[in-house]
Amino acid sequence: MDKIVIWGGERLQGEVQISGAKNAALPILVSSLLTEGWNTFRNVPDLRDIKTIKKLLNHMGARCKTQAPGTIQINSENVRCCEAPYELVKTMRASILVLGPLVARLGQARVSLPGGCAIGARPVNLHINALERMGAEITLTEGYLEAKSKRLKGAKIYFDIATVTGTENIMMAACLADGETILENAAKEPEIVNLAQVLNGMGAKVSGAGTDVIRIEGVDKMHAVEAEIIPDRIEAGTFIIAAGITAGDVIVRGCVPGHLDALIKKLTDTGMEITPVEGGLRAIGRSDIRSVDIMTLPYPGFPTDLQAQIMAYLTIANGSSLISETVFENRFMHVSELQRMGADIKVQGGNAVVKGVSGLRGAPVMATDLRASASLILAGLAARGKTDLSRVYHIDRGYEQIEKKLSGLGARISRVRE
Ligand code: EPU
């Protein structure tokens, strides 16, 4: 198995290009299930999760071709199999995204119920309740959700929690339903806006994406589209924090500054200078970092997907920071690994108090999930000495060539076979 080795202490400098967003690409590739003909998707990142979703689509009978790096074509005309098997769902929970489109297009779906994961229980009850309100009959048999409906009916749905993939799942299902669906307390993430644009390009009638009320007028048929995936705001945020934690000076190209407002505000409060430049942002860190309190929230609040990374940064701030995780109940698995590097962090329930220390020390550490891995790499960049990160398959799920991009900025980082 590969591991990542980092020799810390280099100040990052230069330019880095941000890839397409994993969490936009996943639902968008799945949306091809609603169409006939060859869809072309551009700016698709080369990640393990993308390979998994392609495998799943292939399993169901779709044809996927990689045209050029970052360009994927998908034709779902021959999709007859409506099953998402346990073997694929257990490696990637986002496979649940096929549930809505399959029922809408084929009238049935059989999708393995995702279990818990390293960041929490993560139920999918809101996806199920919404489909039931649209007339689907759903049963749980041998660990599989089985859904049936001749034709889904438009409905008014209120989400108790603003769920990202739940909103996406139901938005896709509603595109081919009979009549109008209204989603209230919908998630507002930029990835949802990107999906809505793509669905509308396919002939759907979706309005309000990006606000908490989304309306979808069902249509009878949808057609193939050519579409572009938005840049990955979490990858961009991770590189901005990398500039901060190394007191570096980095131009993050290809990101959308407006998608990063909450992060920019907080990092500016710590003393970083973050300014728009042609095609991206320039991030300048400083050696005296001010502490700051963080609370994760649904977009436009501070993203839970950057919580672990900003925690790594705040471990070397002056003073104490309070980090409150409100989106997932168990997203502090990185804490014990950061402690092995000398961080002073106390966790109580959903809160972590991070008391800044004068420096971190390299250590062998283990990745527990995707964003925890990113946090440990950031800590390794700032630490004295060598950090060995094992279980790097987590990072490959969501960061394209992270070690190459960081080396390009002057980091001493490499991937080695154990
Ligand atoms: N929730 C329920 N019931 C549901 C659905 C969600 O109780 O039916 C709860 C969850 O347990 C959680 C909260 O609602 O406490 C929000 O979860 P959400 O459904 O929004 O999360 P998700 O759709 O499963 C997506 C991203 C995650 C990201 C979260 C929050 C994708 C493929 N995944 O997950 O990304 O953390 O939204 O922004 O879009 C990552 O990329 O590392 C990652 C975990």
Side-chain angles (χ1 to χ4, degrees), residues 34 60 96-97 114 136 159 169 221 253 264 331 368 396 411 415:
L34 299 166
M60 295 185 303
I96 190 74
L97 283 166
F159 288 113
N169 218 340
K221 238 180 169 1
R253 286 248 185 253
I264 293 171
R331 210 173 196 179
T368 48
D396 295 332
R415 183 181 289 249

Side-chain angles (χ1 to χ4, degrees), residues 9-60:
E10 301 299 328
R11 190 171 171 259
L12 299 193
Q13 266 178 309
E15 293 195 12
V16 62
Q17 181 67 36
I18 295 310
S19 302
K22 165 178 86 76
N23 289 347
L26 291 172
I28 287 174
L29 297 189
V30 167
S31 71
S32 65
L33 287 174
L34 299 166
T35 64
E36 288 175 5
W38 282 100
N39 292 280
T40 304
F41 302 115
R42 301 188 203 287
N43 202 30
V44 180
D46 184 13
L47 301 170
R48 207 159 66 93
D49 275 7
I50 298 296
K51 292 189 175 81
T52 307
I53 207 81
K54 278 167 47 187
K55 239 192 234 173
L56 180 57
L57 293 170
N58 281 328
H59 172 86
M60 295 185 303

Side-chain angles (χ1 to χ4, degrees), residues 142-163:
E142 295 167 350
Y144 278 76
L145 290 168
E146 295 188 346
K148 278 198 180 119
S149 164
K150 279 217 172 75
R151 183 158 189 205
L152 293 169
K153 285 188 268 309
K156 196 166 178 180
I157 289 155
Y158 171 80
F159 288 113
D160 289 333
I161 304 173
T163 158

Side-chain angles (χ1 to χ4, degrees), residues 117-131:
C117 74
I119 61 176
R122 303 185 73 185
V124 289
N125 57 312
L126 301 173
H127 304 229
I128 296 169
N129 295 350
L131 280 174

Side-chain angles (χ1 to χ4, degrees), residues 22-24 26-27 49 92-97 117 119-129 159-168 187 189 191-192 232-234 297-299 302-306 309 325-329 331 369-372 397-399:
K22 165 178 86 76
N23 289 347
L26 291 172
D49 275 7
M92 191 187 66
R93 302 175 48 84
S95 310
I96 190 74
L97 283 166
C117 74
I119 61 176
R122 303 185 73 185
V124 289
N125 57 312
L126 301 173
H127 304 229
I128 296 169
N129 295 350
F159 288 113
D160 289 333
I161 304 173
T163 158
V164 176
T165 48
T167 301
E168 292 164 348
E189 272 65 5
E191 292 74 21
I192 296 200
D232 196 311
R233 64 195 166 97
I234 305 301
L297 286 169
Y299 189 84
F302 191 93
T304 173
D305 288 345
L306 285 171
Q309 298 90 317
E325 172 59 59
T326 76
V327 179
F328 291 110
E329 73 268 28
R331 210 173 196 179
D369 79 64
L370 166 58
R371 307 304 171 187
R397 292 188 52 190
Y399 288 88

